[in-house]
């Protein structure tokens, strides 16, 4: 779970837009466009009661730019969920056994810091003992997962390598997609907060545990 705290965003491939050569079919296609308000994670499926945030004036679900941004949002949200989960496991005292390598030596010697000492508390200092070669392995692993083993090029289709099937009921499938998008958004905000805490060193404990009030006393019950 240690590598989950190292989040890197890998690019999402744009889906090809379907175009027709004659003007008449284009009109028919335009009339069949799905409104962006009906897209998973948008409108009432995103933040009910608030207008849909659409600064790029995307036309709908079949807009190539919408597909591109949606895929990036999905991937970033998934990485953030992994990162927050990794930090939560660390805070709960759940660690991999043993030690990491001080250098990239084979066979593995386990002569570096223990997994239990990395990322606890969640701060820049506790990740410092990881050597450059260790970070290189982290990013290489994520690149392999994203671009080869579980590559996904269309936000509307499951990534290759996913063995479980999606629900046959369209409404159930849409509900699961809404949950994934919204949970990913919350996780992105949460992980940004964790990174801010780590960079400032103000809130070392998970999360907000023992945060002092303005006069320096702990929040009652959180001591």
């Amino acid at each position: 779970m240690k590598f989950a705290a190292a989040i890197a965003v890998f690019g999402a491939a744009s889906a090809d837009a379907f175009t027709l050569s004659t003007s008449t079919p284009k009109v028919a296609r335009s009339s069949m466009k799905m409104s962006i308000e009906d897209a998973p994670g948008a409108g009432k499926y995103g933040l009910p009661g608030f207008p849909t945030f659409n600064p790029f004036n995307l036309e709908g679900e079949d807009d190539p730019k919408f597909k591109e941004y949606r895929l990036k949002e999905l991937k970033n949200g998934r990485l953030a969920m992994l990162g927050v989960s990794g930090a939560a496991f660390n805070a709960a005292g759940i660690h991999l056994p043993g030690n990491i390598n001080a250098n990239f030596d084979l066979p593995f010697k386990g002569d570096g810091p223990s997994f239990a000492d990395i990322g606890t508390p969640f701060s820049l200092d506790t990740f410092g003992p990881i050597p450059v070669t260790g970070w290189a392995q982290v990013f290489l692993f994520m690149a392999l997962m994203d671009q080869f083993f579980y590559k996904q090029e269309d936000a509307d289709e499951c990534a290759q390598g996913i063995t479980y099937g999606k629900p046959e009921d369209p409404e159930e499938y849409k509900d699961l997609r809404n949950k994934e998008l919204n949970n990913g958004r919350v996780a992105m905000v949460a992980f940004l907060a964790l990174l801010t805490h780590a960079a400032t060193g103000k809130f070392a404990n998970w999360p907000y545990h023992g945060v002092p009030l303005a006069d320096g006393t702990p929040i009652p019950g959180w001591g």
Side-chain angles (χ1 to χ4, degrees), residues 86-100:
F89 270 83
N90 285 353
I94 303 173
H95 312 284
L96 292 174
N99 297 50
I100 68 172

Side-chain angles (χ1 to χ4, degrees), residues 18-43:
F18 177 72
T19 57
L20 297 175
S21 58
T22 58
S23 58
T24 303
K26 284 184 178 179
V27 175
R29 176 176 174 264
S30 177
S31 64
M32 295 176 62
K33 282 183 179 179
M34 293 292 292
S35 168
I36 197 170
E37 297 287 340
D38 298 322

